[in-house]
Amino acid sequence: MRPDARAWFESRTSSAPCLDALDLDALLRAKRRGQHRVSVVLPARDEEATVGGLVADLHEQWVQRVPLVDELLVVDSDSTDATAAVARAAGVDVVAAADVLPGHGSRPGKGEALWKGLAATTGDLVVFLDADLLGDVRHFVPGLLGPLLADPQVEYVKGCYTRPLDVAGASVPAGGGRVTELTARPLLNALWPELAGFVQPLGGEYAGRRSALERVPFVSGYGVEVGLLIDLLQLVGLGGLAQVDLGVRRHISQGQEALGRMAGQVVSTVLARAGRGQAGGLLTQFRHDGAGFVPHSTAVAVDERPPLATVAEYRALLGDVVVG
């Protein structure tokens, strides 16, 4: 690891305490002292199996019991199941991605839901969580907020964790994060070695200051996380970034073909940020139909939304709301 990356890793990596060890009074004092408003956004597509229990736990802990979160929003990204209904039944607000900034249309992809979620909320501190998380992850919210509340120089915080992989009834303790290890990490180490200290560069749990997030573009698909990391590095510098160890992250794992499509979008995003262009913009994969191999192609070209600060409708949405 390069000396600057190692120095960053040692100074900007912290650990999130478990719920029982949290100093809730200190957390709330820091929020009040900074006059912060906190929004938590969960992008969701076909997550009816997990989203209800997840948001119910977050709402009970951080809205009802401890007033840390001011907005808890699920952004439904064209789900074909009961994701939206399940989330509403759990007592949280739900918005369809297509209904936010409707004049800008709707595009498929996780990054689109994140961009629309940022536009639909008003907190000056914004936490993003994936909607397929399993187990008790209530400590993720204060864990991600901690560095932002403690240090005004920190603009963006990535969560890191071990990622068990459950296959055929067996669990591999650190077998998850395959796209990270096989695609994102080698590329980032080669092209942005100062980012080598990030344990989970593609992790879906992170938080940032609106003032920074609204000044960078959002890649519409699965390249959004690596795009944000690179763009925020350019915007605020390495010293404005931090990471926090959240322990263990469990979720519903994707199959190899889906992971290949994710990796293709990550590669396209990294190449675009590196000024290497997009070679074709298509990922071709193969299936065997019993008689032979059949190719099928998926678009992986970078499609992105502009920084929200440049969108007039977004500024009108904020109106007279005072954040930060």
Side-chain angles (χ1 to χ4, degrees):
M1 191 185 296
R2 240 169 53 169
D4 56 345
R6 180 170 294 280
W8 176 88
F9 176 79
E10 293 174 352
S11 65
R12 285 298 198 198
T13 304
S14 58
S15 295
C18 63
L19 278 183
D20 292 341
L22 270 174
D23 187 338
L24 298 177
D25 289 337
L27 203 62
L28 293 176
R29 282 197 304 271
K31 181 189 175 188
R32 288 193 296 269
R33 185 168 56 248
Q35 299 182 338
H36 295 297
R37 179 173 173 82
V38 174
S39 301
V40 176
V41 175
L42 296 92
R45 176 177 170 84
D46 296 337
E47 302 292 0
E48 65 177 4
T50 55
V51 70
L54 173 59
V55 297
D57 285 350
L58 295 175
H59 188 266
E60 179 186 9
Q61 179 66 42
W62 302 122
V63 177
Q64 295 180 321
R65 189 179 303 173
V66 180
L68 180 64
V69 172
D70 301 287
E71 291 178 298
L72 179 57
L73 179 70
V74 172
V75 182
D76 183 36
S77 182
D78 302 316
S79 292
T80 59
D81 66 3
T83 291
V86 169
R88 285 194 185 96
V92 304
D93 293 330
V94 179
V95 65
D99 292 339
V100 181
L101 300 178
H104 290 260
S106 183
R107 302 176 185 177
K110 178 184 181 183
E112 172 80 354
L114 295 171
W115 189 73
K116 293 291 188 76
L118 182 61
T121 53
T122 58
D124 64 297
L125 302 181
V126 185
V127 179
F128 294 108
L129 302 175
D130 281 347
D132 64 346
L133 295 172
L134 301 174
D136 185 359
V137 296
R138 291 173 295 168
H139 66 289
F140 279 21
V141 173
L144 291 166
L145 287 171
L148 295 168
L149 292 172
D151 187 347
Q153 301 303 312
V154 173
E155 301 279 350
Y156 184 65
V157 181
K158 288 285 291 186
C160 61
Y161 23 65
T162 57
R163 300 179 65 169
L165 176 64
D166 297 321
V167 179
S171 181
V172 181
R178 289 164 286 176
V179 176
T180 292
E181 297 304 328
L182 299 176
T183 303
R185 195 181 309 285
L187 284 169
L188 288 174
N189 275 255
L191 297 170
W192 288 276
E194 62 268 50
L195 294 176
F198 278 90
V199 179
Q200 297 288 353
L202 301 185
E205 289 67 47
Y206 40 92
R209 299 189 193 278
R210 179 175 296 272
S211 56
L213 294 169
E214 67 184 5
R215 288 192 286 158
V216 293
F218 277 59
V219 175
S220 296
Y222 283 110
V224 61
E225 275 89 16
V226 73
L228 285 174
L229 188 59
I230 295 167
D231 291 343
L232 286 165
L233 171 67
Q234 303 301 322
L235 180 68
V236 305
L238 189 61
L241 309 177
Q243 69 181 346
V244 60
D245 185 350
L246 299 173
V248 178
R249 180 191 192 275
R250 297 181 183 276
H251 71 130
I252 299 174
S253 297
Q254 299 283 340
Q256 180 173 294
E257 192 171 288
L259 292 176
R261 292 192 292 272
M262 293 179 191
Q265 294 180 34
V266 168
V267 169
S268 290
T269 302
V270 170
L271 291 180
R273 293 301 189 267
R276 308 295 175 89
Q278 299 178 34
L282 288 176
L283 173 70
T284 299
Q285 297 171 294
F286 295 86
R287 296 171 184 159
H288 200 287
D289 64 1
F293 286 102
V294 179
H296 61 103
S297 298
T298 305
V300 295
V302 174
D303 181 21
E304 64 184 18
R305 292 295 198 174
L308 273 171
T310 68
V311 177
E313 294 88 338
Y314 164 72
R315 297 196 299 270
L317 273 176
L318 285 182
D320 295 327
V321 174
V322 178
V323 291

